[in-house]
């Protein structure tokens, strides 16, 4: 079974621009979660989508948004980029139902904002 | 809210040494606990998990026991290899809540 894929793997953007990241979950998984990883803040939860609906949301500003499509693929958008948005963005997929939601991570998208 | 605390600083040890990484947590209810590993330039890989008190998760020689009385989930391996060099993250998920809270991670360096 193919793993979680994320595109692109690397991005360089300028302050003020916007960016869209994509995540394709493991086949059969209906939940996609997004995390931001930085050296200073570590791994922080952004949001989770399940069956095209946002089910959980972390403490990030409204510049960070996402969506999920009917095939469970998800996109994350960051508008008006700031230098502090430079990070590794990880998506994770899971079944999203049951007692324990094991999450499986993709390789991440490395975003650099200059 | 839910939080995870890992011991500070990198861990450097020789091949075949015993590894312990401490992890304690704060959570309401009955969370599930996880250890993830991250190799350079890669995403996170699920190493092991435990879903209730006294459960022991194990994989690839690594073990961790869910201790509710001490709110801990320490990771151990009896004999490390150079290939175990990576960053290890402890994480928890509240019951029925598909949202992981991570510790800061520990860089493990195994010297031949």
């Amino acid at each position: 079974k193919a793993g979680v894929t994320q595109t692109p793997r690397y991005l360089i953007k300028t302050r003020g621009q916007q960016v869209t990241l994509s995540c394709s979950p493991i086949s059969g998984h209906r939940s996609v979660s997004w995390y931001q990883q930085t050296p200073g803040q570590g791994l922080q939860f952004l949001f989770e989508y399940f069956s095209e609906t946002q089910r959980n949301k972390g403490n990030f500003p409204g510049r960070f948004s996402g969506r999920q499509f009917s095939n469970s693929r998800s996109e994350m958008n960051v508008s008006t980029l700031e230098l502090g948005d430079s990070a590794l963005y990880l998506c994770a997929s899971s079944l999203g139902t049951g007692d324990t939601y094991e999450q499986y991570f993709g390789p991440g998208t490395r975003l650099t904002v200059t | 809210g839910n939080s995870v605390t890992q011991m500070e600083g990198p861990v450097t040890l020789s091949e075949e040494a015993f590894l312990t990484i401490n992890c304690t947590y704060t959570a309401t209810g009955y969370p599930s606990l996880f250890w993830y590993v991250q190799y350079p330039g890669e995403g996170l890989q699920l190493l092991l998990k435990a879903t209730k008190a006294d459960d022991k998760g194990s994989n690839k020689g690594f073990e961790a026991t869910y201790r509710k009385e001490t709110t801990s989930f320490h990771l151990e391996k009896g004999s490390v290899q150079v290939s175990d060099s990576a960053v290890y993250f402890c994480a928890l998920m509240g019951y029925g809540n598909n949202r992981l809270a991570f510790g800061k991670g520990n860089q493990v360096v195994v010297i031949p």
Side-chain angles (χ1 to χ4, degrees):
Chain A
K1 193 181 268 192
V4 179
T5 58
Q6 291 187 246
T7 56
R9 292 293 310 275
Y10 302 92
L11 267 177
I12 300 176
K13 290 288 187 178
T14 304
R15 266 183 307 175
Q17 288 186 315
Q18 74 164 11
V19 66
T20 299
L21 313 181
S22 181
C23 173
S24 292
I26 293 169
S27 178
H29 284 189
R30 295 164 61 192
S31 169
V32 173
S33 298
W34 289 89
Y35 295 84
Q36 182 195 65
Q37 185 177 24
T38 60
Q41 298 300 315
L43 282 152
Q44 294 184 286
F45 172 79
L46 281 154
F47 31 64
E48 180 217 2
Y49 285 86
F50 177 79
S51 292
E52 302 178 66
T53 300
Q54 189 180 85
R55 188 163 68 171
N56 274 300
K57 187 178 186 307
N59 297 322
F60 278 81
R63 300 185 297 108
F64 292 82
S65 63
R67 60 177 175 169
Q68 187 179 35
F69 302 95
S70 58
N71 62 357
S72 294
R73 189 178 70 85
S74 177
E75 289 182 346
M76 189 190 103
N77 184 274
V78 188
S79 62
T80 320
L81 284 165
E82 301 176 359
L83 295 178
D85 297 332
S86 294
L88 180 66
Y89 289 89
L90 294 163
C91 91
S93 81
S94 69
L95 289 171
T97 59
D99 293 336
T100 299
Y101 306 143
E102 291 182 14
Q103 294 193 359
Y104 298 89
F105 284 78
T109 294
R110 172 75 62 185
L111 172 64
T112 302
V113 181
T114 61
Chain B
N2 296 338
S3 66
V4 176
T5 301
Q6 289 182 236
M7 50 193 272
E8 291 287 328
V11 178
T12 303
L13 58 169
S14 300
E15 203 165 23
E16 298 184 3
F18 185 87
L19 170 69
T20 298
I21 304 176
N22 291 339
C23 170
T24 57
Y25 68 89
T26 301
T28 54
Y30 304 96
S32 294
L33 301 173
F34 305 85
W35 277 99
Y36 281 86
V37 58
Q38 186 174 36
Y39 297 98
E42 298 184 12
L44 301 175
Q45 294 181 23
L46 178 61
L47 183 59
L48 54 83
K49 70 172 186 181
T51 59
K52 60 184 186 296
D54 300 323
D55 265 2
K56 177 185 283 188
S58 61
N59 185 27
K60 299 181 182 178
F62 290 90
E63 292 184 340
T65 301
Y66 187 164
R67 301 284 188 202
K68 192 164 178 64
E69 64 276 12
T70 54
T71 61
S72 65
F73 192 55
H74 306 320
L75 183 68
E76 297 180 335
K77 185 175 185 183
S79 176
V80 294
Q81 306 300 313
V82 172
S83 57
D84 293 325
S85 297
V87 181
Y88 292 80
F89 293 92
C90 184
L92 75 79
M93 182 183 292
Y95 181 79
N97 177 349
N98 198 20
R99 170 179 180 160
L100 287 165
F102 287 91
K104 292 290 189 185
N106 288 102
Q107 173 83 52
V108 172
V109 177
V110 180
I111 301 169

